[in-house]
Structures are given as C-alpha cells and as structure tokens.
Amino acid sequence: MTDRVVYFNGEFIAEMEARISIFDCALMYGDMVFEMTRSFKQQPYRLRDHLQRLYASLDYVQIDCGLSIDQMEAATRATIERNLPALEEYDFQIMHDVTRGGLGLYDTIIKEGTAPIVSINVLPLVRHTGAMADKYQGGAHFVITPQQSVPARYIDPKAKNRSRVYYKIADLQAAQLEPGAMALLTDEHGFVTEGTGNNFFMVRDGQILTPKGHDILRGVSRQACMELARNQGIDVIEADISPYDARAADEIWFTSTTICMIPVTRFNFRPVGDGQPGPVYTQLLHAWSEAVGVDIAAQAAEYARLAPNWKP
Ligand SMILES: Cc1ncc(COP(=O)(O)O)c(C=O)c1O
C-alpha cells in the first residue's frame, strides 16, 4: 500500500483502491483519452499545453468529462498538493485518464454508473525515466516496423487515445527484429510518422527536420524541442521524411514527455552519423536542462541508480 492518493471523479482515494469496472467503455472499446505530463523541480511542465491537448482529444471522441479546463487544472494541482509528502523529493509524472464510463447495457451492475470517469494520478519518475538513463549517452536503435501508423482519416492519432494496439504490435515487431530496438512507424506512403510513444527528429546539413503534423500525435515535447531549437537559431522544418532520407541523417533523436529527448545512434541496423549522440542533440538537451533548471540526463542516471531498490 502506498501513501499516494488518486483524484477519482471529484474525490481522493487510495491509489491501490482506484479501479474501474470490467464493463467500462475503456475496457470494452479502448474508448478513452489520456495525458501524460511531467514535473521539473516538482512543478508541472507545460501543464496547460497538456490539458489543451486533453480537451482537444475529448472533443474528438465526444466525451464531456463534466469539468472545465480550469477545473481540471485546479484538480490536477490539488492532486499534486495532496501527494507531495508521498512524492518525497522526486520529480513525477502526472497521468490524466478520462473514460466514457460504463457501457449502458450493463448499467445495473456497474458500481460507478455510466457517466465519464476522470482520474488523475501522480507517480515518481524513478523507474520510468531511470529505465532510459543509459540511452542519453549510448543512444537508441530505431527500426522501421511492418506495422504502420493508422491514417488520421480512420482514427486521428492527434487525439491521445488508448486504442493503441497497433503501437503495441509495432513494439513487438521491433523487439523481434532486435531485442531492445525501438519501433519507428511510417504512413501509408512510407513516410516516417512517429515512434510508439515519441516524436521523430533528424538533422541534415545543420537543419532539423521532423515529420509534418498530420498523422502523428503532436507531442508537447516536440513543440518544446522545436521552440528551443529556433531560440538557438537553428532552422526546424516539418517535412515528409522517407526512410531513405533518415538513413542519410547526421543525427536522429526522439522526444517524449518523461525523457524529453533521447539520441538515436542506430537506424535500421546502421550507425547514425558517427554512431554517437550528435552536437545539435547535445546542444538542445543542454538548453532544455538550463530552461527547466534540472540536468535531465543526470537526473535519469540518478533515478536509474535508485530504481532497483525503489518501491513504487
Ligand atoms: C504515439 C505518441 N507520439 C508522440 C508522443 C510524444 O508526446 P509528448 O511529447 O506530448 O509526450 C507520445 C507520448 O506518449 C505518443 O504516445
């Protein structure tokens, strides 16, 4: 039993007691949306951007969660406040989950009823970020998977939803190609879209390229990374990127909330550039760390050191 509490439809309940019915639409259809935010120095980072994306996702799937965005922000801050003693000194992730609620057909046997369920939980990043710590120096290996992205006209990936079995299949395929490799998806034309939980960046001739925003989740850290680069005077272009072009990249990295940015030093079994994290990556990670007042890679390394003995 942990001391953490979860915001659950307006109440705070013990984390281990927070659960939904097996008849909830989330389980029946993957019919729900979510968000993942992180803190730096225990302050939520770009919370409003995450909440705006959450409300855009809710609008897309037509769920009225019953809270205004301001109320959601207040509930989020209250959840953090309530949990601060249990979070000790760690930075943490903040997860928002909104399900459509119980399926009407089963209404008499669902304790929570059939209205949408909003839950907000926080968890130290010790394990999550710690697990990626060695990649800041060693880099990741991206492989293009046979599983492709779902085009926006079917299910729009801009909405952060949990109908994600195709991401899972891509992860399995990547692991089958090489244990530890990470999946990189393409669209129906073969252009790079995104990873299964991250956005793609590459550098060619001093210019940063990232896939256009139509068939991807438009990451909050993607946006942060583009802003940091432009502030450093580096051009960023949203482009159609083929695996052929990615193969010739000087640098590749990916962005995601919990890890910010991780270098990709191998692409489809070949080294990227000289096989080391590149200068543009290094410059931007440094700028990001400066901006948030936390050495991002060093924090991950510290969490990796603590993780084996840390009990969630
Ligand atoms: C499919 C997908 N793409 C991109 C991202 C990166 O988004 P963000 O930077 O907002 O974490 C995520 C994050 O989970 C994701 O699931």
Side-chain angles (χ1 to χ4, degrees):
M1 193 82 173
T2 74
D3 292 336
R4 289 183 298 270
V5 291
V6 172
Y7 174 95
F8 197 88
N9 271 358
E11 289 175 22
F12 288 101
I13 60 175
E15 184 183 71
M16 285 181 87
E17 302 303 322
R19 57 196 68 231
I20 58 165
S21 164
I22 57 166
F23 303 112
D24 193 278
C25 289
L27 197 76
M28 294 297 221
Y29 291 99
D31 177 10
M32 61 174 295
V33 297
F34 73 111
E35 262 312 314
M36 177 73 95
T37 310
R38 70 158 289 170
S39 72
F40 286 109
K41 296 182 152 181
Q42 299 204 319
Q43 296 302 314
Y45 179 63
R46 296 191 175 224
L47 175 61
R48 199 68 183 192
D49 294 349
H50 283 283
L51 293 182
Q52 275 163 355
R53 187 171 66 186
L54 177 66
Y55 276 73
S57 303
L58 285 167
D59 185 54
Y60 176 71
V61 298
Q62 301 179 41
I63 294 177
D64 176 0
C65 75
L67 296 177
S68 68
I69 191 167
D70 289 338
Q71 288 170 324
M72 186 69 84
E73 179 165 345
T76 308
R77 293 190 185 280
T79 308
I80 295 170
E81 192 66 36
R82 288 287 288 256
N83 281 290
L84 272 182
L87 291 164
E88 301 173 49
E89 72 279 19
Y90 302 119
D91 270 317
F92 47 86
Q93 62 183 52
I94 305 157
M95 192 152 57
H96 292 84
D97 283 302
V98 184
T99 90
R100 194 179 301 279
L103 202 60
L105 192 60
Y106 304 99
D107 58 352
T108 55
I109 45 175
I110 306 172
K111 196 172 77 185
E112 296 80 17
T114 55
I117 296 176
V118 177
S119 74
I120 310 171
N121 70 83
V122 291
L123 192 69
L125 282 168
V126 175
R127 278 189 166 177
H128 201 145
T129 303
M132 297 296 277
D134 60 335
K135 302 267 187 298
Y136 289 91
Q137 268 87 46
H141 180 199
F142 254 156
V143 288
I144 302 270
T145 54
Q147 174 66 55
Q148 295 192 295
S149 290
V150 173
R153 66 177 180 281
Y154 297 144
I155 300 179
D156 201 320
K158 296 176 205 81
K160 197 166 163 78
N161 68 85
R162 292 248 194 231
S163 304
R164 332 194 107 209
V165 77
Y166 65 99
Y167 291 130
K168 183 66 198 174
I169 291 168
D171 284 341
L172 293 171
Q173 291 174 342
Q176 281 151 9
L177 287 167
E178 184 181 272
M182 295 179 67
L184 183 63
L185 282 74
T186 49
D187 66 17
E188 57 196 324
H189 308 291
F191 294 120
V192 170
T193 51
E194 61 185 342
T196 57
N198 56 69
N199 290 115
F200 178 93
F201 284 84
M202 62 172 267
V203 176
R204 198 181 51 203
D205 301 331
Q207 199 170 50
I208 297 176
L209 305 177
T210 192
K212 290 177 183 167
H214 42 68
D215 276 331
I216 59 169
L217 183 80
R218 294 176 183 156
V220 172
S221 16
R222 171 181 181 267
Q223 183 62 31
C225 184
M226 292 198 287
E227 286 172 20
L228 279 168
R230 287 176 179 141
N231 289 342
Q232 303 269 316
I234 309 172
D235 272 353
V236 187
I237 295 177
E238 295 178 61
D240 286 333
I241 301 171
S242 62
Y244 181 91
D245 290 330
R247 206 176 142 94
D250 300 322
E251 297 184 37
I252 298 180
W253 65 81
F254 61 81
T255 58
S256 187
T257 288
T258 52
I259 48 79
C260 299
M261 56 192 300
I262 296 269
V264 174
T265 50
R266 281 167 78 216
F267 173 72
N268 275 350
F269 298 90
R270 284 165 40 116
V272 176
D274 63 2
Q276 301 297 318
V280 181
Y281 168 80
T282 306
Q283 179 183 349
L284 290 181
L285 181 66
H286 181 71
W288 206 327
S289 296
E290 292 265 291
V292 296
V294 171
D295 183 329
I296 293 164
Q299 185 189 60
E302 170 67 0
Y303 288 177
R305 198 180 61 74
L306 298 171
N309 297 318
W310 184 76
K311 299 257 180 307

